[in-house]
């Protein structure tokens, strides 16, 4: 354990960076350069801190660690409460890992308002890390919603031609969910009298209320995931966002939904979870098949990968709600793995977008000749996305399906067809972009990836393969927390079924 | 030794893949060839140590996935089945590696090619050495990847890319079955480790599993799901369409992956799971029927093709069918025996065909060949050896294994076994016919090539002929040499005919003193219920059953001589006479057309419908776009406020939320 408030330090350090960047003066070139370096060093330092946290984390301990607690709203039951368990640990590290990559990848492609751009990303980092480490529902809500603002700006200011439409669509969808979640949170607060997540988990509310609250939270998390049918904001947001925005969006923001399910929905509303599990299974299956089929017919690279993200998130929701250790572990692992793989895929698109300034697949073709290194990198991530064993993509997908098979064989069988379709659309994309005859002379003249770009990709490749061959490092750290969630969940269901015999007639009268 | 045999190809791949550009083509060729050759030598040692010496063992390398009830390690399981596969893989792979140096001499991407070959070899070794289903799946997909990369090796060719994707996706359909089978295993046995599964299989024989709302016999379900995987990898009818197209890859690839090793992974899988299949008679029946039909259908197509590689590809598919129906009648030893002999003679035929193609300046159409035998005599001789082995002529390898399979099918005494026997006899006739059709069209008659090509015809360099020589030795002797250990039959105590056979086998063992009888040789690697021991029973079938394959084979060869050598006009007459049948065969029973219409087109159509109608019209139309339209209309009414859209949405939403909450307040007690 560390004796200084590591989590708070990591959360607010980016804001210190923001402060310095805001102070930068001088002509535009100097300002841009200094802002980039300041942002890069800040984010790298946060990443180092996250590694420190990783090394100090006790793997076998299911409880929260690095806990900080301070009064916030006095005796109102709202406090400043931070801490991590095995589940949130890797999301924090993932956020801290992807941010320097985002800054590096924007090094040349962002030319206007560089200072503000860097500020937006650092603020985003604060909110992301805060979201994953908050143990007070109010605090969580502040961070969770806060993420929207810089993301909205990143898409809206530095995005493509239809950025306004996209950013509003993004904002609206997520706001819809958020408002409902806020209402649910307040309801919960008036019921239990505290905003502390740990206490909320221990004091489940009545079944009927659980069902309503579950739906309200679900509205928020399902949009964030995104689950079918509230996914349509994602392709538009991705298409218009700058590369780094897509990376963070796919890499971290989508995981907030899954994290929310794990932190709120499943532990706080066990009975409602059980009630809604079949619905979520089928929504996941629809998401997997439906969006995979859509991905197959896309002409826009980013849209294709965005749709594939929805399909991959379908495996996550499927795994999380199986209430089996394998499935839940698979869901979490899939989120982490997808955070790396989809981020890398968007980076891959970014590399050629920076050169040719189009995302239209038909404008490319045959670039393996002039960009052999790029072809190799893209191939690795394409295969990881397809879930080839030996890459991290396989472990998550397989565990999630394994959990699903135990819960419902038909669901698992349908979901597994996504593996076939996934291979089809990714290989088809790769073939059209990288292989085949040259159709566009400009594409054939693009230079191969340079040193800076290699430095971005190599760590991600190493992680994807390492997690594929030795997933134990993650799995053994997430397992205690997952087991605790499941045992609490099962205990709550047993408890509920006991007195339910007495209370259920009353409830039926009531409805 | 075991580490070397498995990991040298990986090391070679990494060196070739990461530093190929730095160290140059020559060094890459040396490293990869040396790696695989040493592996091959090691696996021969392992064969004697583990197989002949009957000392199976398992090495655990590292942890892989441990979570919940699932615990899977990286491991090397060494038993007879594994070492046999390792020998086949490494020996053929070594031959192909060396051969490729000559074959790919004019290609710009030699080092990439060699790296992929080594990657394939490693993945295949992981597949056969695994002691659990997950590592098997790793190898399974790994060989699929290598196959994809190698089929699409000439990646500027449109057809090569299409074939590569087709191979990967069709294989994925099979993998889908395999993955589900693996999950079913986990549910039934609580583990996906072979030892646990095989030990518990007899106890679970009565269990049922709920699948799609049906109660299904658990082991049958598992076996059928696994078999779907095997069908995909081994190109059995239904999931076979990728194999002929895979001939787009360079010929050494066809020899290694699409004839000798990868496509036999399905056979390996079923043989490995013999302790489970034995308790699922319905699954065995399905395996047998699919295998028999595949053997027959593929042979009919093989008779009509003109691309020299496609003829051999359909022949491979047909021979895989033989292996499967052997598995289906519980003649696992015979299936693996045929797997091994087939690996040698089919790789020989493919590399021989490669040598022809090399000589003919990349011409593959047999209609443009002819009269080559004087110009490339070595290749001609090797093709004869391969052909004799394939047709099942005595003393050559194929004779022993194929006859054993047919006899076992006959001895099974079931309707599907007998059906398989007759289909197999018919296929044996066609096999002999199309093999000699190939040889005669290619090497005899007048040359039909253009002048320019004819001038360039040349015998292949020595580096290509030496591997052919090694394979030819295998194609001649593998059958004779390994007959006793693979299929000599089992020792039974009941006496009668069985005892006689095993006695005979026993004396053979002692006489040769080298190799053990099949019961000892296989040990625990294969499991056969006592009533299903068709290999032993096959030794006692009627004489006509033993002679039938040879007779039809000779007739097939004779007919081919008649049509393609002595009376050249006859072929056309046959075509006219049986036009509908001929067209059916020529068009490969229209599988590609059917799949294209039913699956490919509809998938894309559905994708477009979901995208344009589902996402754009319905979801966006009712959702954000619809709301924005309504609120814009509302907004013009409320234009005095001049509020931004966001606030209006937020306002509308807040109203909704308040409504819901109010409702909650009213409905719920205590509020």
């Amino acid at each position: 354990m560390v004796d200084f408030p590591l989590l708070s330090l990591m959360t607010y350090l980016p804001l210190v960076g923001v402060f310095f960047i805001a102070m930068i003066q001088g002509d535009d070139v100097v300002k841009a350069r200094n802002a980039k370096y300041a942002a890069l060093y800040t984010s790298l330092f946060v990443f180092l801190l996250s590694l420190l946290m990783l090394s100090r984390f006790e793997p076998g301990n299911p409880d929260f660690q690095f806990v900080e607690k301070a009064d916030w709203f006095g005796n109102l039951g709202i406090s400043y409460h931070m801490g991590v368990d095995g589940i949130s640990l890797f999301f924090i590290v993932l956020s801290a890992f992807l941010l320097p990559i985002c800054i590096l990848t924007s090094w040349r492609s962002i030319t206007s308002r560089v200072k503000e751009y860097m500020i937006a990303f650092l603020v985003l980092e604060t909110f992301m890390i805060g979201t994953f480490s908050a143990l007070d529902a109010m605090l969580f809500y502040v961070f969770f919603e806060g993420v929207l603002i810089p993301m909205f700006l990143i898409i809206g200011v530095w995005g493509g031609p239809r950025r306004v439409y996209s950013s509003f669509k993004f904002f609206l969808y997520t706001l819809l969910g958020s408002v409902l979640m806020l209402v649910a949170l307040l309801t919960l607060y008036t019921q239990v009298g505290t905003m502390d997540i740990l206490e909320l988990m221990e004091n489940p509310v009545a079944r009927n209320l659980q069902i309503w609250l579950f739906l309200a939270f679900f509205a928020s998390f399902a949009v964030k995931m995104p689950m079918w049918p509230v996914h349509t904001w994602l392709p538009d947001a991705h298409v218009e966002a700058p590369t780094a925005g897509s990376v963070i969006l796919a890499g971290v923001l989508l995981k907030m939904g899954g994290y929310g399910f794990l932190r709120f929905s499943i532990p706080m509303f066990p009975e409602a979870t059980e009630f809604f599990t079949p619905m979520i299974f089928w929504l996941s299956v629809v998401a997997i098949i439906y969006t995979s089929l859509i991905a197959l017919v896309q002409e826009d690279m980013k849209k294709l990968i965005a749709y594939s993200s929805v399909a991959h998130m379908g495996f996550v929701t499927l795994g999380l709600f199986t209430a089996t250790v394998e499935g839940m572990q698979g869901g979490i692992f899939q989120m982490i793995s997808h955070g790396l793989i989809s981020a890398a895929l968007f980076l891959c698109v970014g590399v050629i977008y920076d050169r040719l300034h189009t995302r239209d697949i038909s404008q490319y073709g045959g670039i393996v000749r002039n960009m052999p290194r790029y072809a190799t990198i893209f191939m690795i991530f394409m295969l990881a996305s397809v879930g080839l064993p030996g890459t991290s993509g396989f472990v998550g997908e397989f565990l999630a399906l394994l959990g699903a098979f135990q819960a419902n064989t038909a669901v698992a069988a349908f979901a597994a067809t996504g593996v076939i379709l996934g291979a089809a659309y990714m290989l088809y994309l790769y073939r059209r972009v990288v292989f085949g005859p040259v159709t566009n002379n400009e594409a054939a003249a693009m230079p191969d990836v340079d040193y800076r770009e290699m430095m971005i990709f190599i760590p991600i490749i190493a992680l994807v393969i390492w997690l594929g061959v030795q997933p134990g490092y993650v799995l053994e750290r997430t397992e205690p927390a997952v087991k605790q969630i499941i045992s609490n969940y099962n205990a709550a269901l047993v408890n509920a079924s006991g007195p339910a015999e007495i209370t259920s007639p009353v409830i039926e009268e009531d409805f | 030794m075991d580490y070397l045999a498995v990991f040298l190809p990986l090391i070679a791949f990494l060196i070739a893949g990461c530093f190929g550009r730095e160290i140059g083509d020559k060094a890459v060729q040396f490293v990869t060839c040396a790696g695989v050759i040493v592996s091959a030598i090691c696996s021969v040692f392992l064969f004697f140590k583990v197989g002949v010496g009957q000392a199976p063992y398992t090495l655990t390398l590292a942890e892989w996935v441990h979570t919940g009830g699932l615990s899977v390690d990286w491991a090397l399981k060494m038993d007879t089945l594994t070492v046999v596969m390792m020998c086949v893989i490494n020996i053929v792979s070594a031959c192909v590696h060396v051969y490729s140096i000559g074959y790919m001499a004019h290609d710009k991407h030699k080092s990439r090619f060699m790296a992929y070959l080594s990657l394939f070899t490693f993945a295949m070794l992981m597949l056969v050495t695994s002691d659990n289903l997950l590592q098997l799946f790793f190898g399974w997909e790994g060989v699929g990847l290598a196959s994809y990369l190698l089929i699409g090796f000439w990646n500027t060719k449109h057809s090569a890319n299409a074939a590569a994707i087709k191979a990967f996706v069709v294989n994925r359909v099979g993998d889908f079955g395999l993955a589900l089978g693996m999950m079913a295993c986990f549910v039934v046995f609580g583990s996906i480790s072979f030892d646990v599964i095989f030990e518990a299989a007899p106890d679970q024989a009565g269990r049922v599993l709920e699948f799609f709302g049906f109660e299904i016999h658990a082991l049958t379900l598992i076996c059928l799901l696994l078999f779907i995987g095997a069908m995909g990898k081994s190109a059995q009818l239904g999931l076979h369409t990728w194999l002929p197209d895979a001939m787009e890859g360079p010929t050494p690839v066809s020899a290694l992956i699409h004839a000798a090793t990868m496509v036999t992974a399905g056979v390996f899988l079923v043989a490995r799971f013999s302790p489970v299949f034995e308790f699922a008679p319905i699954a065995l029946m399905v395996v047998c029927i699919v295998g028999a039909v595949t053997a027959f259908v593929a042979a009919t197509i093989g008779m009509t093709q003109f691309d020299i590689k496609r003829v051999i590809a359909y022949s491979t598919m047909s021979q895989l069918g033989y292996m499967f129906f052997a598995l289906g009648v519980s003649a696992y030893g015979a299936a693996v025996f045929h797997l091994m002999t087939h690996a040698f003679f089919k790789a020989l035929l493919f590399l021989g065909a490669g040598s022809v193609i090399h000589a003919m300046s990349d011409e593959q159409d047999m209609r443009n060949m002819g009269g080559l035998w004087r110009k490339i005599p070595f290749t001609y001789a090797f093709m004869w050896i391969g052909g004799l082995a394939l047709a099942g002529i005595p003393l050559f390898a194929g004779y022993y294994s194929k006859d054993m399979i047919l006899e076992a099918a006959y001895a099974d005494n079931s309707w599907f076994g007998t059906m398989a026997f007759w289909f197999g006899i018919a296929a044996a006739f066609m096999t002999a016919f199309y093999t000699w059709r190939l040889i005669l069209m290619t090497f005899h008659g007048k040359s039909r090539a253009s002048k320019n090509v004819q001038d360039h015809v040349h015998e292949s360099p020595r580096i290509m002929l030496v591997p052919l020589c090694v394979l030819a030795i295998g194609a001649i002797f593998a059958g004779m040499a390994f007959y006793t250990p693979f299929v000599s039959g089992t020792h039974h105590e009941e006496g009668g005919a069985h005892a006689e056979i095993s006695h005979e086998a026993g004396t053979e063992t002692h006489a040769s003193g080298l190799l053990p009888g099949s019961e000892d040789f296989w040990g625990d690697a294969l499991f056969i219920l006592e009533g299903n021991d068709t290999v032993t029973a096959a030794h006692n079938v009627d004489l006509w059953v033993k002679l039938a394959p040879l007779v039809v084979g000779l007739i097939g060869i004779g007919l081919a001589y008649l049509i393609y050598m002595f009376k050249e006009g006859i072929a056309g007459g046959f075509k006219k006479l049986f036009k509908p049948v001929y067209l059916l065969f020529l068009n490969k029973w229209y599988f590609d057309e059917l799949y294209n219409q039913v699956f490919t087109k509809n998938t894309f159509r559905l994708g477009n419908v979901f995208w344009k109608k589902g996402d754009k019209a319905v979801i966006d139309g009712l959702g954000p776009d619809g709301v924005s339209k309504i609120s814009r209309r509302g907004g013009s009414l409320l234009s005095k406020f001049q509020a931004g859209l966001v606030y209006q949405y937020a306002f509308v939403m807040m109203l909704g939320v308040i409504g819901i909450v109010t409702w909650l307040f009213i409905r719920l007690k205590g509020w």
Side-chain angles (χ1 to χ4, degrees):
Chain A
M1 279 305 200
V2 264
D3 41 8
F4 60 93
L6 185 60
L7 285 177
S8 293
L9 189 64
M10 283 168 60
T11 308
Y12 302 114
L13 198 65
L15 291 184
V16 179
V18 168
F19 177 72
F20 280 113
I21 293 174
M23 303 274 279
I24 292 172
Q25 295 296 328
D27 63 57
D28 280 353
V29 181
V30 176
K31 243 170 36 180
R33 199 189 61 218
N34 288 345
K36 282 188 239 179
Y37 275 107
L40 181 64
Y41 289 137
T42 313
S43 61
L44 278 177
F45 193 69
V46 175
F47 177 56
L48 287 179
L49 285 179
S50 77
L51 290 182
L52 178 72
M53 176 182 74
L54 201 56
S55 67
R56 298 287 176 86
F57 186 84
E58 294 167 30
N61 186 351
D63 294 328
F64 286 91
Q65 303 180 28
F66 309 103
V67 174
E68 299 163 25
K69 196 164 184 180
D71 275 352
W72 190 11
F73 284 104
N75 51 6
L76 286 178
I78 302 174
S79 60
Y80 180 82
H81 192 176
M82 307 269 267
V84 287
D85 64 354
I87 295 170
S88 46
L89 177 73
F90 289 100
F91 292 114
I92 297 175
V93 179
L94 182 67
S95 313
F97 172 71
L98 286 179
L99 213 84
I101 286 177
C102 285
I103 288 166
L104 271 178
T105 198
S106 317
W107 210 251
R108 271 181 228 139
S109 55
I110 297 296
T111 45
S112 66
R113 300 171 194 255
V114 179
K115 201 169 118 176
E116 289 79 1
Y117 183 83
M118 295 298 159
I119 290 176
F121 267 91
L122 288 179
V123 171
L124 194 57
E125 181 166 33
T126 291
F127 287 139
M128 290 189 304
I129 295 179
T131 306
F132 292 124
S133 44
L135 285 185
D136 183 274
M138 200 62 228
L139 193 61
F140 172 85
Y141 186 78
V142 170
F143 285 128
F144 187 80
E145 293 308 310
V147 168
L148 276 183
I149 302 161
M151 201 62 221
F152 176 73
L153 292 175
I154 288 169
I155 297 174
V157 177
W158 291 276
R162 291 181 75 227
R163 57 180 181 261
V164 176
Y165 171 78
S166 298
S167 58
F168 270 91
K169 203 169 175 181
F170 166 69
F171 198 84
L172 281 179
Y173 257 119
T174 36
L175 192 71
L176 166 78
S178 306
V179 173
L180 289 174
M181 186 170 89
L182 180 63
V183 175
L185 267 180
L186 293 175
T187 316
L188 207 55
Y189 176 66
T190 43
Q191 276 277 293
V192 186
T194 177
M195 276 290 192
D196 196 276
I197 291 177
L198 298 180
E199 286 175 44
L200 287 176
M201 285 180 192
E202 283 160 14
N203 299 299
V205 293
R207 182 186 159 87
N208 291 313
L209 187 57
Q210 274 193 24
I211 285 175
W212 286 108
L213 293 179
F214 183 93
L215 280 177
F217 275 95
F218 183 73
S220 175
F221 298 144
V223 167
K224 269 270 166 39
M225 270 316 282
M227 288 174 77
W228 186 85
V230 286
H231 63 281
T232 59
W233 63 270
L234 186 73
D236 284 312
H238 268 309
V239 165
E240 299 305 325
T243 301
S246 289
V247 169
I248 283 293
L249 192 57
V252 184
L253 262 56
L254 299 192
K255 278 73 209 176
M256 289 183 171
Y259 178 74
F261 283 133
L262 281 167
R263 192 60 87 218
F264 290 89
S265 304
I266 297 172
M268 287 182 199
F269 318 121
E271 292 168 68
T273 302
E274 196 204 18
F275 181 76
F276 285 114
T277 294
M279 178 189 86
I280 290 175
F281 277 172
W282 290 109
L283 284 180
S284 308
V285 168
V286 171
I288 291 168
I289 296 174
Y290 178 102
T291 50
S292 296
L293 286 172
I294 294 183
L296 205 54
V297 296
Q298 293 307 307
E299 296 299 326
D300 181 314
M301 281 189 278
K302 272 189 147 182
K303 236 180 191 167
L304 195 155
I305 298 170
Y307 273 112
S308 87
S309 288
V310 183
H312 283 124
M313 288 299 114
F315 285 105
V316 173
T317 42
L318 191 63
L320 292 185
F321 281 89
T322 57
T324 59
V325 180
E326 294 86 15
M328 213 177 257
Q329 287 272 62
I332 296 170
F333 200 87
Q334 171 81 341
M335 282 197 270
I336 296 161
S337 146
H338 179 263
L340 294 169
I341 295 168
S342 68
L345 284 174
F346 280 115
L347 288 170
C348 283
V349 174
V351 166
I352 47 178
Y353 182 79
D354 283 348
R355 287 162 172 69
L356 210 60
H357 297 287
T358 174
R359 299 179 309 266
D360 190 354
I361 295 172
S362 60
Q363 293 296 311
Y364 296 90
I367 63 173
V368 63
R369 279 184 206 73
N370 47 319
M371 304 178 76
R373 269 191 303 235
Y374 174 77
T376 309
I377 293 169
F378 193 9
M379 169 73 77
I380 292 170
F381 291 120
M382 184 268 288
L383 293 169
S385 168
V386 166
L388 198 79
T391 63
S392 60
F394 171 69
V395 180
E397 228 167 64
F398 175 72
L399 286 176
L401 283 174
L402 188 62
F405 196 90
Q406 294 170 58
N408 187 334
T409 46
V411 165
F414 277 116
T417 59
V419 177
I420 304 172
L421 294 170
Y425 64 72
M426 284 312 286
L427 294 183
Y428 189 46
L429 165 74
Y430 189 81
R431 167 184 150 192
R432 286 180 291 170
V433 172
V434 178
F435 288 156
V438 176
T439 49
N440 181 344
N441 288 329
E442 281 179 56
M446 296 191 296
D448 206 349
V449 287
D450 60 22
Y451 180 72
R452 175 185 61 98
E453 287 162 333
M454 287 295 273
M455 284 303 104
I456 293 173
F457 283 117
I458 284 173
I460 312 181
I461 292 177
L463 275 176
V464 165
I465 292 176
W466 177 59
L467 289 179
V469 179
Q470 289 289 306
Y473 186 83
V474 172
L475 291 176
E476 73 181 17
R477 282 166 177 74
T478 50
E479 180 148 327
V482 165
K483 277 190 169 153
Q484 196 170 26
I485 290 182
I486 290 173
S487 66
N488 287 346
Y489 172 77
N490 288 331
L493 290 186
V494 171
N495 277 341
S497 65
E501 283 171 11
I502 312 158
T503 52
S504 58
V506 184
I507 294 168
E508 270 172 23
E509 265 176 33
D510 193 33
F511 259 79
Chain B
M1 188 75 86
D2 25 38
Y3 287 105
L4 281 183
V6 175
F7 289 105
L8 274 180
L10 174 68
I11 295 168
F13 160 68
L14 290 176
I15 294 174
C18 299
F19 309 109
R21 240 163 288 169
E22 284 75 11
I23 59 178
D25 289 342
K26 278 265 175 325
V28 166
Q29 286 168 344
F30 177 76
V31 168
T32 48
C33 289
V36 179
I37 289 171
V38 174
S39 288
I41 295 168
C42 290
S43 26
V44 172
F45 275 111
L46 285 171
F47 176 79
F48 283 100
K49 187 175 138 199
V50 177
V52 179
Q54 295 148 33
Y57 59 95
T58 302
L59 272 181
T60 305
L61 302 175
E63 290 193 346
W64 189 8
V65 183
H66 282 259
T67 184
L70 182 73
S71 63
V72 178
D73 291 323
W74 295 101
L76 301 181
K77 179 188 176 76
M78 294 288 168
D79 67 0
T80 307
L81 187 57
T82 301
V83 291
V84 168
M85 291 301 288
M86 283 174 73
C87 281
V88 170
I89 295 160
N90 276 329
I91 292 173
V92 176
S93 178
C95 291
V96 168
H97 269 77
V98 174
Y99 179 91
S100 302
I101 296 177
Y103 191 82
M104 301 298 280
H106 307 301
D107 200 278
K108 273 191 286 183
H109 301 287
K110 291 187 217 45
S111 61
R112 184 160 61 94
F113 185 76
M114 301 307 278
Y116 288 167
L117 281 184
S118 291
L119 171 68
F120 167 79
T121 310
F122 168 69
M124 193 70 204
L125 290 169
M126 288 309 273
L127 194 163
V128 297
T129 55
S130 85
D131 87 325
N132 59 67
L133 273 168
L134 204 64
Q135 185 184 330
L136 183 135
F137 196 70
F138 169 81
W140 194 267
E141 292 259 289
V143 291
L145 165 68
S147 159
Y148 162 78
L149 292 171
L150 285 165
I151 295 170
F153 181 74
W154 287 312
N155 54 36
T156 51
K157 253 169 78 184
H158 186 73
S159 55
N161 288 324
I165 291 191
K166 188 172 177 184
F168 199 90
V169 173
V170 174
N171 265 300
R172 270 271 159 144
V173 177
D175 296 351
F176 158 81
L178 179 57
L180 286 179
M182 184 159 38
M183 293 166 202
C185 268
F186 182 72
V187 171
V188 173
F189 298 105
S191 169
I192 54 173
S193 146
F194 291 154
D195 294 339
V196 179
I197 294 173
F198 297 160
E199 202 170 310
D203 304 333
Q204 302 288 353
R207 177 145 173 201
V208 291
L209 200 66
E210 185 273 328
F211 192 69
F212 275 92
F214 296 101
E215 298 279 315
I216 299 178
H217 181 237
L219 297 187
T220 303
L221 177 70
I222 289 173
C223 289
L224 288 177
L225 287 171
L226 293 179
F227 181 57
I228 293 175
M231 282 173 71
K233 209 47 83 199
S234 296
Q236 293 299 289
L237 203 67
L239 295 178
H240 67 284
T241 54
W242 64 272
L243 184 62
D245 289 11
M247 297 301 127
E248 289 289 341
T251 309
V253 173
S254 312
L256 176 61
I257 301 184
H258 305 121
T261 55
M262 186 185 86
V263 288
T264 60
V267 180
F268 167 79
L269 175 70
V270 178
R272 173 60 88 205
F273 265 77
S274 57
V276 184
F277 271 90
E278 282 295 291
F279 294 98
I282 295 174
L284 281 177
M285 183 184 80
V286 173
V287 172
C288 180
I289 294 169
V290 170
V293 174
T294 305
F296 179 79
V297 170
T300 61
I301 303 173
M303 288 196 299
T304 58
Q305 298 299 306
F306 290 106
D307 184 319
I308 186 167
K309 285 178 73 182
R310 280 183 190 244
V311 173
I312 310 179
Y314 278 108
S315 158
T316 304
M317 188 177 144
S318 171
Q319 298 301 310
L320 289 165
Y322 275 96
M323 295 177 214
F324 273 104
F325 75 68
L327 296 168
V329 297
S330 299
Y332 305 105
V336 179
F337 189 33
H338 195 53
L339 187 164
M340 183 195 71
T341 57
H342 173 258
F344 286 114
F345 63 70
K346 193 50 70 64
L348 177 67
L349 280 172
F350 257 123
L351 293 185
S355 184
V356 171
I357 295 166
H358 196 67
M360 294 292 290
S361 315
D362 294 334
E363 176 61 59
Q364 300 195 6
D365 194 327
M366 294 193 295
R367 282 171 295 194
N368 299 331
M369 296 180 183
L372 286 172
W373 71 277
R374 271 175 218 283
K375 291 178 179 160
I376 45 174
F378 289 111
T379 307
Y380 178 59
F382 287 132
M383 290 297 272
W384 258 85
I385 295 172
L388 288 170
L390 174 60
I393 302 303
L395 301 181
F396 290 88
Y399 166 73
Y400 296 93
S401 51
K402 189 198 266 182
D403 276 23
M404 176 48 72
I405 286 178
L406 287 168
E407 287 157 22
Y410 184 79
D412 189 50
N413 262 329
S414 58
W415 68 266
F416 52 87
T418 312
M419 184 198 89
F421 172 74
W422 287 111
F423 272 48
I425 292 285
F429 162 72
M430 291 185 277
T431 307
F433 176 77
Y434 65 64
T435 311
W436 256 263
R437 173 176 174 265
L438 184 152
I439 290 178
L440 295 172
M441 279 184 87
T442 310
F443 293 101
H444 290 273
K446 274 194 218 108
S447 177
R448 296 175 292 273
S450 67
K451 183 87 181 66
N452 193 18
V453 172
Q454 280 192 39
D455 291 345
H456 282 92
V457 172
H458 57 283
E459 183 60 279
S460 299
R462 205 170 297 154
I463 198 146
M464 288 165 70
L465 292 178
V466 170
L468 282 176
C469 200
V470 174
L471 292 172
I473 293 170
I476 299 172
F477 297 109
M480 268 182 277
F482 297 107
Y483 187 76
T484 310
F486 276 75
V487 287
S488 62
T490 315
H491 193 283
H492 281 297
E493 298 301 327
E494 303 100 344
H498 291 280
E500 208 174 289
I501 291 302
S502 56
H503 182 69
E504 199 181 306
T507 46
E508 266 178 42
T509 316
H510 289 296
S512 64
L514 265 173
L515 301 165
S518 64
E519 187 182 16
D520 293 333
F521 178 70
W522 289 116
D524 293 333
L526 296 179
F527 173 84
I528 304 169
L529 281 179
E530 263 185 30
N532 289 353
D533 192 355
T534 48
V535 170
T536 306
H539 291 277
N540 306 312
V541 292
D542 298 340
L543 186 65
W544 70 268
V545 175
K546 294 194 181 206
L547 285 180
L550 177 62
V551 171
V552 296
L554 290 173
I555 294 174
I557 296 175
L559 194 65
Y561 263 103
L562 188 68
I563 294 179
Y564 291 98
M565 190 106 170
F566 302 129
K567 297 244 178 198
E568 291 191 26
I570 293 184
F574 269 109
K575 279 177 203 171
K576 283 205 191 91
L577 199 59
F578 300 106
K579 198 167 181 205
V581 182
Y582 174 73
L583 282 180
L584 179 69
F585 294 172
L586 184 67
N587 290 302
K588 308 155 220 159
W589 295 58
Y590 296 102
F591 269 101
D592 277 324
E593 287 76 7
L594 182 75
Y595 283 0
N596 201 17
Q597 282 297 332
V598 176
F599 295 116
T600 319
K601 280 195 179 162
N602 281 333
T603 308
F604 277 89
R605 196 175 298 152
L606 206 59
N608 266 316
V609 167
F610 281 161
W611 181 32
K612 304 224 164 93
K613 299 269 155 52
D615 262 22
K616 286 193 174 160
V618 179
I619 296 177
D620 277 354
L622 295 179
D625 293 353
V627 172
S628 108
K629 215 177 276 167
I630 293 165
S631 72
R632 215 171 294 149
R633 242 173 262 154
S636 59
L637 288 176
L638 299 167
S639 55
K640 286 171 204 159
F641 294 102
Q642 292 293 334
L645 279 176
V646 184
Y647 301 107
Q648 288 175 21
Y649 292 134
F651 180 67
V652 171
M653 266 180 258
M654 280 306 289
L655 279 181
V657 169
I658 291 167
I660 291 170
V661 172
T662 323
W663 195 57
L664 266 174
F665 269 65
I666 296 164
R667 297 301 280 182
L668 290 170
K669 245 184 176 173
W671 274 74

